[in-house]
Amino acid sequence: MKDVEMEQKLRNEAKALLEEGKVDYIIGFEPGSLKFTATPLITKDRGDVERLVIDPFIVNNLAVFLTELKGRIGIVVKGCDSRSVVSLIQDNKVAREDVVIIGVPCPGLIDVSRIETLLGKDRDELDEIAREGDKVIATLNGKRKEFPVTEVLFDNCLGCELPTPQEYDVLLGEPTSPVAERSASQAKIGQLKETTPQQRWEFWKEQFSRCIKCYACRNVCPACFCKRCFVEESEPQWLLPVPRWQENLMFQAVRNIHVAGRCTDCGECERACPVNIPLRSLTKEMYDIVGDLFQFKAGMDKDAPSLMTHYEQEEAEDFIR
Ligand code: SF4
Ligand code: SF4
Ligand code: SF4
């Protein structure tokens, strides 16, 4: 996805938007301080736009910043992120006229830690990582090592249905096709589903015993937009402020219900977790349940009502009627 043409087009667009006063801020990516990483760049300064990058490491879902900034914003989005922007519009958290959506057709993001594991090398030892069609090439001491994308893309990218933004003002390249490796994408989730309820309970008990309550999973998620999260409420106190796995699991269970119909399977919560809890096994399951029960995918139509705030006479639950 390192595409010099697309990157230059982005810089030109961003510069023009700032110069013409069409936006107050640009939110995009710049190179991170570690090799093969990118980090969010939020700027009002047109001199900064030369630092903007598009490469296979632009993991963050930048839509999370839209509810934190005031003014008109030009934002760089991949397919999943664009749906988060649309979902925020559906929830009246963002006004469509206040965003200029700069869309990146996205062939999937590379999970560098998988390459490190496969090669037994640290990222600092690698010369280059590049995508060539359905292969990812890592170069080490001048030698090329090829990996099929199924081995080194993030799971959510392998199962991505809509890699090209559906809603945009500028599209930086030609629409791209999904990788559509659903079985590879679902492998971790599928293994868990084959276990018994008791085994799953034990699994999650062990996982959430390691949770350090940093709330990174919540903080990186555009669908978690409450000004005051229920975990911080003291009246009523929904959760005890004690480091117990039960509280940690309850936090995540409630968070999943709050993001149901808003989650776009962007994968950010799992990536952000410092203790590697496989959170996507919960969020993707909820994403699929929402799809099956309501035939609803988050962020597909900015003019449609949001799933959890809209009720119909024919709803299954009696209490709504
Ligand atoms: S989920 Fe799709 S759009 Fe999002 S980063 Fe992965 S491939 Fe790109
Ligand atoms: S719950 Fe996770 S995967 Fe879903 S939108 Fe939030 S950060 Fe992305
Ligand atoms: S990011 Fe991980 S450790 Fe932090 S609160 Fe979420 S689940 Fe717990």
Side-chain angles (χ1 to χ4, degrees):
M1 187 163 64
K2 176 76 179 170
D3 184 322
V4 178
E5 225 173 88
M6 199 148 58
E7 211 164 73
Q8 195 51 54
K9 191 170 173 194
L10 166 61
R11 292 172 185 177
N12 295 343
E13 290 286 350
K15 195 168 176 201
L17 286 170
L18 287 170
E19 276 177 355
E20 291 164 20
K22 290 186 176 155
V23 298
D24 300 300
Y25 294 94
I26 290 289
I27 311 179
F29 297 91
E30 64 177 326
S33 53
L34 295 176
K35 246 176 156 177
F36 311 120
T37 61
T39 196
L41 171 68
I42 302 176
T43 187
K44 296 177 113 164
D45 183 348
R46 58 180 191 245
D48 287 345
V49 302
E50 292 307 318
R51 305 213 304 271
L52 288 167
V53 291
I54 295 175
D55 61 27
F57 315 113
I58 53 171
V59 294
N60 310 80
N61 185 338
L62 300 176
V64 73
F65 297 112
L66 288 180
T67 45
E68 294 182 16
L69 291 171
K70 291 211 178 341
R72 296 198 79 225
I73 295 164
I75 183 168
V76 176
V77 292
K78 309 177 289 291
C80 51
D81 316 335
S82 75
R83 289 172 56 204
S84 295
V85 174
V86 169
S87 187
L88 287 168
I89 294 169
Q90 290 176 275
D91 274 317
N92 290 325
K93 293 292 162 192
V94 170
R96 179 65 183 92
E97 59 274 21
D98 286 344
V99 275
V100 177
I101 302 174
I102 307 170
V104 180
C106 171
L109 303 173
I110 298 173
D111 183 349
V112 180
S113 66
R114 291 188 182 185
I115 296 182
E116 289 179 310
T117 306
L118 287 164
L119 288 177
K121 299 284 178 194
D122 188 83
R123 67 180 65 209
D124 286 336
E125 298 173 80
L126 303 178
D127 307 321
E128 206 192 337
I129 299 176
R131 175 82 181 266
E132 289 181 13
D134 57 359
K135 300 251 183 313
V136 170
I137 316 295
T139 313
L140 176 69
N141 298 326
K143 288 198 182 119
R144 284 163 53 99
K145 176 77 187 155
E146 286 186 9
F147 301 100
V149 287
T150 42
E151 286 184 15
V152 293
L153 292 195
F154 284 102
D155 286 350
N156 65 309
C157 295
L158 290 171
C160 178
E161 298 157 312
L162 297 158
T164 302
Q166 305 295 293
E167 174 83 19
Y168 57 82
D169 297 292
V170 181
L171 192 63
L172 295 176
E174 291 302 313
T176 187
S177 310
V179 181
E181 287 285 352
R182 189 173 155 81
S183 57
S185 149
Q186 295 286 107
K188 210 159 51 174
I189 301 170
Q191 277 172 9
L192 193 56
K193 281 174 91 166
E194 279 168 20
T195 59
T196 63
Q198 184 58 33
Q199 285 169 326
R200 279 202 291 282
W201 184 247
E202 291 301 322
F203 174 83
W204 287 117
K205 178 178 175 182
E206 194 276 319
Q207 294 298 323
F208 284 106
S209 301
R210 299 187 294 111
C211 170
I212 57 172
K213 273 203 174 139
C214 65
Y215 300 132
C217 50
R218 174 194 70 182
N219 297 347
V220 296
C221 175
C224 265
F225 50 66
C226 294
K227 284 260 178 287
R228 191 172 171 86
C229 177
F230 77 100
V231 294
E232 279 129 21
E233 287 289 351
S234 51
E235 280 184 28
Q237 189 170 48
W238 299 101
L239 290 180
L240 294 176
V242 289
R244 297 193 314 158
W245 69 267
Q246 293 94 330
E247 306 297 316
N248 302 341
L249 174 58
M250 185 54 72
F251 157 59
Q252 209 58 239
V254 175
R255 195 182 95 77
N256 261 269
I257 293 168
H258 287 185
V259 300
R262 299 181 170 109
C263 170
T264 59
D265 193 28
C266 74
E268 265 300 86
C269 46
E270 180 167 300
R271 275 192 288 272
C273 180
V275 293
N276 296 322
I277 297 175
L279 296 172
R280 183 170 178 263
S281 299
L282 297 172
T283 56
K284 181 58 167 48
E285 188 63 9
M286 180 62 90
Y287 180 97
D288 287 341
I289 289 170
V290 163
D292 292 345
L293 272 182
F294 302 102
Q295 293 74 53
F296 187 91
K297 284 188 200 306
M300 297 298 289
D301 178 358
K302 67 181 188 314
D303 299 315
S306 93
L307 179 72
M308 290 298 177
T309 57
H310 180 83
Y311 303 101
E312 300 281 356
Q313 277 296 316
E314 56 275 13
E315 295 283 348
E317 295 296 342
D318 287 347
F319 76 92
I320 290 165
R321 290 197 282 269

